[in-house]
Amino acid sequence: GMGKTQLTVQMATNMAKQNKGVAFMSLEMSAEMMTKKFLCNLGQLNPGVFNNPDNYDKDIELSLSDAIKQLKDLPIYLYDNPSSNLSKLLELIKKVVIENKVSVVFLDYLQLISVGSRRFNREAEISIICRDLKKLAVELDITIIVGSQLSRQVENRPGGSKRPQLSDLRESGAIEQDADKVIFIYRPEYYGIEVDENNKPTKNRMELIVSKNRNGALVDVPVFAAFHKSMIVDI
């Protein structure tokens, strides 16, 4: 519920606008749901706009029309419900990269992928998935960006701070080990924290916490999350 899908949609849109081929693969959303998310992002529209089409005014119609044209013209390829089996998923990524000259692949999300063998426990499975995705990214010379859930321990952590850290990555330390970058989303408002340590309001505020960055700096990036519109984030 932190907004990882919305953030990756924004990132994918920004990259496509820079003429990078982008594949967005969701293991939980239909093609229709993904398309709506991209249209809302491109048109800077409330995600609930599709729930009340009878209330469309001229501005909404113009925004949607422009967003549809942009999405059609951008090198974004949407794949709904690809196989959750790791080997089949790797084959699909190879095919997409070769056929469409894709340079960035988004996977939403890691915990829905499986190895398909009962020989491994879940921690071992996640390790295999992370290793094989990393090997494929190097082999194809592409970037693979994978959404991941956190463990519940961040919510149960004693004290006031709910800021995520590397140990909160769910089910395996292999995520931290194999990833070139780990970026957490943090919204204090989500946890009912109304003011920060400087007594400033947290409403609609978000931080992108770069906790691992191979050959780069570890930084906290403040972001204004305007949920009545799409999040405007330039990554």
Side-chain angles (χ1 to χ4, degrees), residues 39-42 52 54-55 69 80 153 155 174-175 178:
L39 290 177
C40 286
N41 186 280
L42 289 163
N52 298 293
D54 293 338
N55 296 333
K69 184 179 184 304
D80 64 327
Q153 67 186 37
E155 297 181 6
I175 304 172
D178 292 329

Side-chain angles (χ1 to χ4, degrees), residues 53-188:
D54 293 338
N55 296 333
Y56 285 4
D57 57 22
K58 192 170 184 63
D59 287 341
I60 290 177
E61 289 180 356
L62 287 173
S63 293
L64 270 177
S65 177
D66 180 62
I68 290 169
K69 184 179 184 304
Q70 288 187 68
L71 185 58
K72 182 180 177 181
D73 292 340
L74 288 171
I76 297 175
Y77 305 90
L78 305 181
Y79 295 85
D80 64 327
N81 298 315
S83 173
S84 61
N85 179 272
L86 177 61
S87 61
K88 293 182 179 179
L89 189 59
L90 296 177
E91 289 175 8
L92 176 61
I93 293 173
K94 284 184 180 181
K95 180 180 178 183
V96 169
V97 169
I98 293 170
E99 291 183 354
N100 299 310
K101 298 182 179 179
V102 162
S103 58
V104 185
V105 175
F106 288 82
L107 292 177
D108 188 22
Y109 55 92
L110 177 65
Q111 281 73 24
L112 293 178
I113 304 171
S114 66
V115 172
S117 173
R118 296 182 180 180
R119 293 184 299 145
F120 304 106
N121 61 32
R122 190 53 182 158
E123 183 173 343
E125 273 199 325
I126 292 292
S127 297
I128 293 168
I129 293 165
C130 291
R131 181 198 65 200
D132 286 1
L133 287 173
K134 178 67 175 287
K135 286 171 61 179
L136 185 64
V138 173
E139 175 189 335
L140 298 178
D141 192 24
I142 61 171
T143 298
I144 299 180
I145 298 174
V146 189
S148 176
Q149 291 182 329
L150 298 183
S151 68
R152 286 293 182 184
Q153 67 186 37
V154 66
E155 297 181 6
N156 300 324
R157 184 178 296 138
S161 177
K162 304 297 182 184
R163 293 173 65 84
Q165 54 197 33
L166 291 171
S167 60
D168 295 322
L169 289 169
R170 185 172 175 179
E171 292 177 321
S172 179
I175 304 172
E176 174 187 351
Q177 177 180 317
D178 292 329
D180 290 325
K181 301 179 188 291
V182 176
I183 303 174
F184 291 111
I185 300 172
Y186 176 55
R187 289 194 292 117

